[in-house]
Amino acid sequence: MKHFLTSCFLLLAITCIAQTFPKKYVDSLTSVALSRKTSHPLILNRDSVLQLLWKATLPADRIAMFYDITNYSDELTPEHSLYFHQLILNGAQKRGDKILEAAVQAELGFIISYNGNTVEGLKMIYQSLEKAEATGNAQAIGIAYDNLGQCYPNNKQLSREYYSKALEYSRKGEDHLFVCFELSNLARMFFEENKRDSALTYYLESYRLAVEKNLEPSMPNNLLRLGELANNTNSLYYYRQAAMMPAVIRNAGLKNRIVSAIAEYYLKKEMRDSAYYFANQYYTYARTADKKTQLSALSLLTSYYEALHMPDSTLLYMTSYYNLKDSLYGNKAMEQAQGLAYADMQRLKELEAQKAIYQSRLIIYSISAVAILLLGLAFIFWRSKKKEQEAKKIVQLQKDQLEQTVDKLKATQNQLVQSEKMASLGELTAGIAHEIQNPLNFVNNFSEINKELLAELNEEIDKGNYEEVKAIAKDVTENEEKISHHGKRADAIVKGMLQHSRSSNGVKEPTDINALADEYLRLAYHGLRAKDKSFNATMITDYDDSVGMINVIPQDIGRVILNLITNAFYVVDEKKKQISGDYVPTVTVSTQLVSSDNPSIRQSANSIIISVKDNGNGIPQKVLDKIFQPFFTTKPTGQGTGLGLSLSYDIVKAHGGELKVETKEGEGSIFIIQMPA
């Protein structure tokens, strides 16, 4: 895009000045070019440059040094140039440098072609093009196309094609020197077709780029061509400026190209002496140069003698000219050259066809790869889906097994709970018997007394002592009331035990917490006394009468209270067995209603507190966190299931309350039940 805009700008500038030559613009570029110091010595130390060439890492640097060695310096003869071409070609082949090898082979083919062996030279250039294309290096490809364009002077269309390709690849490879060369070559073709505007645009672009990049070989060549486009007055001015360029001073070929242009200028001006001087000087140089240069010198001398109307000399040089031209561009040579060009075009077509086939195959492979990928993904998806289904089956099976296990655990838990209840009931059997025995004794005693009183009553009736009858009847009535009271007492004890033994119905009912606690305190005490006559403990009760009736599940809360009291009796009895002296085992059971008027520090208002306190050994700190865990017990094996406190904790939680413990090792513990009032 940049080059296109530059070309458009230059073309617009030329159009705006009404097809006049832009002398000021060219002079400004020339002034810049001449003001710069040369970056190359007049005499090149080729051995040093050769050493640097093989050490250079970038292909562009190696190619630039190759052109320095083979083109620069006045003392370099064509034979020496050919020698260095071959030397560097051998070095590149030895080192496997394919890019440099392709570039050198293209230039060597051009030299061979220009020295008369057109076909062999072209073969070499076409081979270099294939090598360059194999490397993919745009600079080397551009160099090969440039040399091919130089070798087809009689086929303008083919030559233009090659120059255009050379320009394209040179720009791609950022080879600014060859970009300038190709712009000049295309400009020269426009000039030969009398398209001066296009020629001027291309020459100006080439000259601008050469000055901008300080490309010494290109600057005098462009200035020379611009001199041809300028009017006759200014042409010699530009030729002389071109001769002052540093590259011309060290290069005999460039110098004599300017000499030839000056000779043609004087010939057009009919300044025959000056024309002959420069033409003869050019011919002297050409005799030791390549055949293309010799052909150019013979053409110049032919024109000179033709202008002087000297037919003998004209015929002599003309004959030499055509003989040389025929050897270079004869029918046979051109046929072979055209054949090579045709073969190259066929090669390019085959390459394009192969490229198209490759792209088609690539598309097919890509589609196949995508299809395989999709099939693979589908298989993976199907397999993962299958695994997912299998996993679901396994999960469902495990779930079913887990549910069965949970059901079994629940059944086992219920059995354990029931076992725990029956175990506690078993421990209470003696206490229950003792508690029932007392009212039964009262019932039996009062029944015997009533029997005796009724016998006395009959005697008194027979005597007619009715006052005594009334007194005896009153005593009987009072005894019956006592019998009824103690009968109900026994009935209540039996009902309580039945409630304790059967499963809870989960229904809360108003319950006298104080009576419940007192009943289980006495049952637990007498139960232990029945098992161990030596057991004794002081029982202290502190019931808050304001507690009243509380909505609870009585058999569940009774079970909790019984468990805590039984544990308390056990620990104080154990401590008594361990120590002797003045220790008095004491268990304290208390209730308390905590209202908003009397809030506790640790408990919230509107709640009932049931406390079971003992003065045993307390709970060790290391097991304190485990006492509410199922199956944990500190009792000897066979004396405890480890479910009492765990079940008690769950029951209190189910009532919306909390069961906690406060303990001090060596001094005792207090278990606190807190429930909503």
Side-chain angles (χ1 to χ4, degrees):
M1 179 60 73
K2 180 181 177 183
H3 301 293
F4 174 74
L5 293 174
T6 304
S7 301
C8 292
F9 171 76
L10 293 174
L11 184 60
L12 182 63
I14 295 168
T15 305
C16 292
I17 58 177
Q19 308 299 329
T20 58
F21 186 82
K23 185 175 183 302
K24 287 185 179 180
Y25 180 70
V26 175
D27 287 347
S28 65
L29 290 175
T30 305
S31 175
V32 173
L34 292 174
S35 67
R36 289 176 176 163
K37 293 181 179 180
T38 177
S39 58
H40 296 91
L42 292 178
I43 304 298
L44 195 70
N45 187 337
R46 285 177 172 74
D47 292 335
S48 299
V49 179
L50 267 172
Q51 294 300 319
L52 293 173
L53 183 147
W54 301 123
K55 292 178 182 178
T57 55
L58 297 176
D61 293 339
R62 295 196 294 274
I63 290 172
M65 292 180 192
F66 154 68
Y67 280 113
D68 281 350
I69 293 169
T70 56
N71 287 339
Y72 292 125
S73 187
D74 204 21
E75 95 288 350
L76 187 66
T77 62
E79 290 77 12
H80 276 88
S81 177
L82 195 62
Y83 164 77
F84 283 114
H85 274 78
Q86 193 62 54
L87 180 67
I88 295 172
L89 178 63
N90 293 339
Q93 290 173 339
K94 183 179 178 181
R95 290 169 174 80
D97 190 344
K98 299 296 182 182
I99 296 173
L100 182 60
E101 180 185 347
V104 176
Q105 188 172 335
E107 292 292 342
L108 196 56
F110 169 76
I111 292 172
I112 292 171
S113 176
Y114 256 43
N115 280 284
N117 199 342
T118 305
V119 176
E120 288 303 316
L122 280 170
K123 283 182 180 178
M124 189 173 286
I125 299 173
Y126 280 119
Q127 289 172 359
S128 76
L129 176 60
E130 291 184 23
K131 290 179 181 178
E133 286 175 339
T135 66
N137 184 271
Q139 185 181 12
I141 297 172
I143 290 170
Y145 275 123
D146 171 78
N147 284 286
L148 285 173
Q150 299 283 355
C151 292
Y152 285 96
N154 294 337
N155 191 333
K156 301 295 182 185
Q157 182 179 351
L158 187 59
S159 189
R160 189 191 303 276
E161 257 184 63
Y162 285 140
Y163 285 145
S164 298
K165 286 185 178 180
L167 178 61
E168 176 191 346
Y169 280 101
S170 297
R171 280 177 170 161
K172 193 182 294 184
E174 297 184 354
D175 188 346
H176 302 298
L177 181 63
F178 271 83
V179 169
C180 290
F181 286 161
E182 306 322 320
L183 289 170
S184 295
N185 289 332
L186 290 168
R188 176 172 50 79
M189 297 188 76
F190 284 126
F191 180 70
E192 290 171 356
E193 295 168 3
N194 204 28
K195 297 178 181 178
R196 299 177 66 86
D197 293 344
S198 298
L200 180 60
T201 301
Y202 275 72
Y203 277 135
L204 286 175
E205 185 181 353
S206 177
Y207 193 36
R208 178 198 58 77
L209 181 61
V211 174
E212 179 185 320
K213 302 294 183 182
N214 195 24
L215 305 172
E216 291 186 1
S218 181
M219 287 188 280
N221 181 59
N222 279 296
L223 199 55
L224 185 63
R225 297 303 180 185
L226 287 169
E228 292 177 354
L229 283 169
N231 56 53
N232 289 336
T233 306
N234 292 322
S235 294
L236 189 60
Y237 167 77
Y238 287 118
Y239 297 156
R240 287 173 177 169
Q241 283 188 327
M244 296 167 60
M245 296 285 179
V248 175
I249 297 172
R250 69 171 66 87
N251 192 291
L254 283 173
K255 185 189 298 181
N256 281 280
R257 201 176 303 160
I258 295 170
V259 168
S260 172
I262 293 172
E264 288 182 3
Y265 170 80
Y266 282 127
L267 191 59
K268 290 176 183 177
K269 290 289 188 178
E270 297 184 355
M271 299 172 66
R272 293 182 177 83
D273 292 341
S274 297
Y276 177 75
Y277 172 79
F278 285 101
N280 189 58
Q281 185 178 337
Y282 181 57
Y283 181 69
T284 302
Y285 163 75
R287 290 170 68 181
T288 58
D290 58 77
K291 291 186 178 181
K292 185 73 181 292
T293 305
Q294 292 175 22
L295 192 66
S296 176
L298 289 171
S299 175
L300 180 60
L301 286 174
T302 300
S303 299
Y304 172 74
Y305 285 112
E306 189 177 6
L308 291 178
H309 304 290
M310 297 175 64
D312 293 340
S313 298
T314 301
L315 182 61
L316 174 66
Y317 287 106
M318 186 179 291
T319 302
S320 299
Y321 171 78
Y322 280 108
N323 287 336
L324 183 57
K325 185 178 181 182
D326 187 59
S327 68
L328 287 172
Y329 308 117
N331 291 334
K332 186 177 180 180
M334 285 300 102
E335 283 177 9
Q336 290 178 312
Q338 296 291 354
L340 289 172
Y342 177 76
D344 183 61
M345 284 188 284
Q346 289 297 113
R347 181 184 67 83
L348 291 175
K349 285 181 181 178
E350 288 176 5
L351 285 175
E352 289 296 325
Q354 289 174 2
K355 185 177 179 182
I357 292 170
Y358 172 75
Q359 289 176 342
S360 299
R361 286 179 179 174
L362 190 63
I363 292 170
I364 293 170
Y365 292 155
S366 300
I367 293 171
S368 301
V370 171
I372 292 170
L373 179 63
L374 290 175
L375 286 172
L377 289 174
F379 175 74
I380 292 170
F381 177 76
W382 172 80
R383 189 175 178 184
S384 63
K385 194 72 176 175
K386 188 176 180 182
K387 285 186 176 180
E388 183 183 349
Q389 291 173 350
E390 291 175 355
K392 283 182 179 178
K393 289 180 181 178
I394 293 170
V395 169
Q396 186 62 41
L397 182 62
Q398 291 175 343
K399 182 182 176 184
D400 294 341
Q401 292 174 347
L402 187 61
E403 287 177 352
Q404 291 175 4
T405 304
V406 170
D407 291 340
K408 289 179 180 178
L409 285 173
K410 285 182 178 178
T412 304
Q413 184 184 28
N414 292 333
Q415 290 174 359
L416 287 171
V417 170
Q418 191 65 19
S419 298
E420 175 67 18
K421 288 193 291 183
M422 297 311 293
S424 64
L425 186 63
E427 291 180 357
L428 292 176
T429 302
I432 294 169
H434 180 271
E435 285 295 296
I436 292 175
Q437 188 63 45
N438 285 334
L440 285 178
N441 288 336
F442 279 111
V443 169
N444 291 332
N445 290 335
F446 285 117
S447 294
E448 289 293 332
I449 293 170
N450 279 353
K451 184 178 178 182
E452 293 175 358
L453 287 174
L454 287 172
E456 291 178 9
L457 180 66
N458 289 327
E459 290 177 0
E460 293 298 327
I461 291 173
D462 292 338
K463 292 177 180 180
N465 190 358
Y466 294 106
E467 290 297 327
E468 187 65 27
V469 170
K470 288 180 182 179
I472 293 171
K474 183 180 177 183
D475 290 338
V476 171
T477 302
E478 288 176 355
N479 288 342
E480 286 296 326
E481 288 176 355
K482 291 177 181 178
I483 290 170
S484 176
H485 169 73
H486 289 289
K488 288 178 181 179
R489 168 67 183 149
D491 180 65
I493 293 170
V494 172
K495 284 182 179 178
M497 294 310 98
L498 290 174
Q499 278 188 338
H500 181 78
S501 62
R502 68 171 177 258
S503 298
S504 170
N505 57 11
V507 178
K508 292 181 179 180
E509 56 186 75
T511 303
D512 187 342
I513 295 296
N514 291 342
L516 191 68
D518 190 63
E519 181 178 351
Y520 279 109
L521 174 63
R522 286 183 289 103
L523 285 173
Y525 176 77
H526 289 298
L528 289 172
R529 283 276 299 168
K531 288 168 64 177
D532 182 6
K533 296 297 181 180
S534 65
F535 171 76
N536 198 4
T538 301
M539 295 181 289
I540 301 174
T541 58
D542 183 13
Y543 301 132
D544 187 348
D545 293 334
S546 63
V547 170
M549 306 293 284
I550 304 298
N551 274 331
V552 295
I553 303 172
Q555 60 265 42
D556 287 350
I557 295 299
R559 191 175 303 127
V560 174
I561 295 171
L562 175 61
N563 182 266
L564 298 179
I565 293 172
T566 303
N567 287 345
F569 281 141
Y570 175 81
V571 295
V572 297
D573 188 48
E574 286 296 309
K575 185 174 181 180
K576 183 180 180 182
K577 291 176 181 177
Q578 294 170 4
I579 64 175
S580 59
D582 298 333
Y583 171 69
V584 179
T586 305
V587 173
T588 304
V589 179
S590 64
T591 61
Q592 181 184 7
L593 178 66
V594 182
S595 64
S596 57
D597 297 331
N598 183 28
S600 172
I601 296 174
R602 290 186 299 276
Q603 286 82 29
S604 60
N606 302 319
S607 61
I608 180 174
I609 306 299
I610 305 171
S611 302
V612 178
K613 182 180 178 183
D614 66 74
N615 63 345
N617 288 320
I619 302 171
Q621 197 66 34
K622 62 181 180 180
V623 300
L624 188 60
D625 295 334
K626 301 178 183 179
I627 61 172
F628 293 118
Q629 293 179 5
F631 305 108
F632 178 81
T633 181
T634 57
K635 294 178 181 179
T637 304
Q639 294 188 26
T641 62
L643 289 173
L645 285 177
S646 173
L647 292 173
S648 298
Y649 185 86
D650 292 339
I651 290 169
V652 174
K653 279 287 183 184
H655 279 75
E658 185 178 0
L659 174 61
K660 51 190 176 180
V661 61
E662 294 178 1
T663 185
K664 192 169 183 181
E665 287 191 55
E667 295 184 13
S669 305
I670 176 170
F671 282 84
I672 302 168
I673 303 170
Q674 175 199 350
M675 293 187 298

